[in-house]
Amino acid sequence: MAPTRFDIIAAGFTNDADTARSGLSSDDPTFRTSALRALARIGVVTSAELTAGLTDPDADVRRTAVQLSATHDDVDVTGLVDDPDVFVAEMAAWCIGERSSPTDDEVDALVRATTGHAEALVREAAAAALGSLGDPRGLDAIIAACSDKPAVRRRAVLALAPFDDPRVDEVLRAALSDRDWQVRQNAEDMLNPRG
């Protein structure tokens, strides 16, 4: 008898990699998502399995594969920053920001997304990821994002934290008079950290 989705989920708590893996070949995308999560929970998901998940026709499977790839630097998620599903693209930006040593292509993808992605949610996530990395190549993109929509500006102001550059103080001082009160508050907190 074929395992149920519950069996696949439970396999992640009982170290049953075989049952968990059986879900990867299911026609049901919820089984494939559960299988990836179960395999990750027991620490046996492979880079090949994650890479296969990145090309899955189902957006939830792709998003799960991207999320789990944050600890697998050898899994290339760069192309997913341009995924047609905005939440997959957002997760790809986050994933790169979590990497211990991102590649040049990954940083370049974040820079492009921060300054040019059609979706504000992705621009916001990409700016935050660049700030998380603190890579000097991302500073110009983060500064540009400080003139974007309010949600993007809020994250971009915070993303300036790791950079020691005279332009940062200038941008933060300008943000003190932003139309959005949260942008102003973030700039104030950055310029005058409390306790």
Side-chain angles (χ1 to χ4, degrees):
M1 181 152 112
T4 65
R5 182 168 176 235
F6 177 79
D7 294 333
I8 292 166
I9 293 168
F13 294 94
T14 60
N15 292 325
D16 183 356
D18 291 338
T19 298
R21 264 197 186 93
S22 71
L24 293 175
S25 58
S26 173
D27 291 336
D28 185 334
T30 64
F31 279 53
R32 298 193 300 273
T33 299
S34 297
L36 287 172
R37 291 198 181 283
L39 291 167
R41 181 171 286 111
I42 58 180
V44 297
V45 68
T46 67
S47 295
E49 289 163 341
L50 292 172
T51 299
L54 297 178
T55 61
D56 197 277
D58 184 80
D60 287 337
V61 177
R62 292 195 308 278
R63 186 169 54 252
T64 298
V66 170
Q67 180 184 18
L68 299 175
S69 295
T71 56
H72 292 258
D73 286 2
D74 60 327
V75 176
D76 182 8
V77 300
T78 309
L80 280 296
V81 174
D82 295 314
D83 194 90
D85 183 279
V86 66
F87 300 110
V88 173
E90 175 196 25
M91 186 63 73
W94 170 84
C95 174
I96 295 170
E98 293 296 304
R99 294 273 167 101
S100 55
S101 10
T103 66
D104 289 345
D105 288 344
E106 289 173 328
V107 173
D108 289 345
L110 290 178
V111 168
R112 282 192 308 277
T114 300
T115 58
H117 201 282
E119 295 288 342
L121 182 65
V122 179
R123 294 194 305 275
E124 177 185 348
L130 286 171
S132 175
L133 295 174
D135 189 305
R137 294 171 291 175
L139 180 57
D140 288 338
I142 295 170
I143 289 173
C146 289
S147 300
D148 203 318
K149 291 186 174 186
V152 180
R153 294 196 310 269
R154 290 175 205 138
R155 291 292 282 277
V157 164
L158 295 174
L160 293 169
F163 298 98
D164 183 21
D165 185 293
R167 295 176 295 161
V168 170
D169 283 342
E170 180 182 323
V171 171
L172 290 174
R173 281 193 295 277
L176 290 173
S177 58
D178 194 273
R179 297 181 308 275
D180 183 84
W181 74 268
Q182 289 174 301
V183 173
R184 293 192 307 270
Q185 184 63 59
N186 288 350
E188 174 69 29
D189 291 345
M190 294 281 291
L191 287 167
N192 303 302
R194 297 181 182 119

